[in-house]
Amino acid sequence: MSDSNPVTGTQQLIEALKDELKAAGLTYADLASRIGMSESSVKRMFSRREMPLSRVDEICLACKITFDELARKVVEAQPLVTELTPQQEEAVTKDKKLLLVAICCLSQWTFEQIVETYTLGEAEVIACMTRLDRLGVIELKPMNRYRLKLAKTFRWRPDGPLMQYFREHVIQDYFNGRFARDGETVHIVHGTISQAMAPSFVDRLKRLGQDFSAQHLADQKLKPELTGGYTLILAMREWEFAPFTEMRRRAGR
């Protein structure tokens, strides 16, 4: 039977301390002698996963690691989100300001960039980021910094509220463009290929998307006048234009 009680922050810290003890090559006996406790008391403290922060500080000192470094390792060890729940997506989608800030966060914009670019006030952006923190999209930190809690493999639900909104409002707006400027292009390629090969093309498209994201992060240091807000849409599906399908010969005719 699984443990239904959630793991607390202190318990996560203690588990991380165990890893640090192993990395430092310290046994419970070694630690006991360094922090003035008996070995049995140290074992009991770790088995119960309960200890005061003063003890955590002492153990950090023994492991030659700061508390901040330990806390950061705990945060980085948390599993990242690959998909939001329908309720989370609905909350993001129905509030346009929240959706804007969410997209900015997914693009790794800073708080200052959002405020400078859009007509949202500082208080409004902070409120949106606070909601995104509660929704599990980001971890809001001091000075309005944040950490994305989404995995690299994160995607919006194919039939979720966000993609439904995208289909209804975004696609037409996007493809109304002429794609005629330098650095713009659109290709529609249709063909019949082996079903076994289709996944490999999908993997290549995903890698291209990852390259685009990596370039976006690398170019954050450039002056604004040297950058442009590009949107890359990658898609592949088994599909035929509905009017063409209607003209197909039916079996038996």
Side-chain angles (χ1 to χ4, degrees), residues 57-182:
D57 288 335
E58 291 176 346
I59 299 171
C60 284
L61 184 61
C63 295
K64 298 181 180 180
I65 185 174
T66 67
F67 182 84
D68 287 344
E69 290 172 329
L70 179 69
R72 185 172 65 250
K73 289 187 177 185
V74 170
V75 170
E76 292 173 350
Q78 300 304 305
L80 298 177
V81 177
T82 58
E83 192 175 71
L84 299 181
T85 66
Q87 293 76 18
Q88 289 171 317
E89 283 199 8
E90 178 69 26
V92 172
T93 305
K94 69 181 182 181
D95 185 329
K96 300 306 176 290
K97 291 181 180 179
L98 184 63
L99 177 59
L100 170 61
V101 175
I103 296 299
C104 289
C105 288
L106 264 64
S107 299
Q108 300 282 352
W109 281 33
T110 65
F111 171 82
E112 291 77 13
Q113 285 177 306
I114 299 173
V115 173
E116 291 171 2
T117 305
Y118 297 103
T119 57
L120 301 181
E122 291 188 0
E124 289 178 299
V125 177
I126 292 172
C128 288
M129 294 177 79
T130 301
R131 289 182 63 190
L132 291 174
D133 178 276
R134 292 172 181 167
L135 288 169
V137 176
I138 65 172
E139 177 195 358
L140 189 56
K141 296 184 175 183
M143 304 299 293
N144 301 320
R145 300 295 182 258
Y146 65 90
R147 181 184 72 93
L148 268 181
K149 298 178 73 173
L150 306 181
K152 291 183 179 180
T153 55
F154 171 81
R155 69 168 189 169
W156 301 106
R157 290 175 170 268
D159 297 313
L162 194 289
M163 287 304 296
Q164 183 63 34
Y165 177 86
F166 180 84
R167 285 188 286 269
E168 292 177 359
H169 304 285
V170 179
I171 288 182
Q172 182 176 350
D173 183 62
Y174 182 82
F175 284 105
N176 273 341
R178 295 177 57 245
F179 297 88
R181 297 179 180 178
D182 291 340

Side-chain angles (χ1 to χ4, degrees), residues 235-246:
M236 178 174 173
R237 59 172 290 214
E238 191 172 350
W239 172 83
E240 183 180 54
F241 190 37
F244 295 173
T245 303
E246 293 172 0

Side-chain angles (χ1 to χ4, degrees), residues 204-218 232:
R204 290 184 218 178
L205 291 173
K206 288 180 179 179
R207 287 198 295 272
L208 180 58
Q210 292 169 355
D211 289 344
F212 184 88
S213 297
Q215 191 64 51
H216 160 76
L217 294 176
L232 179 68

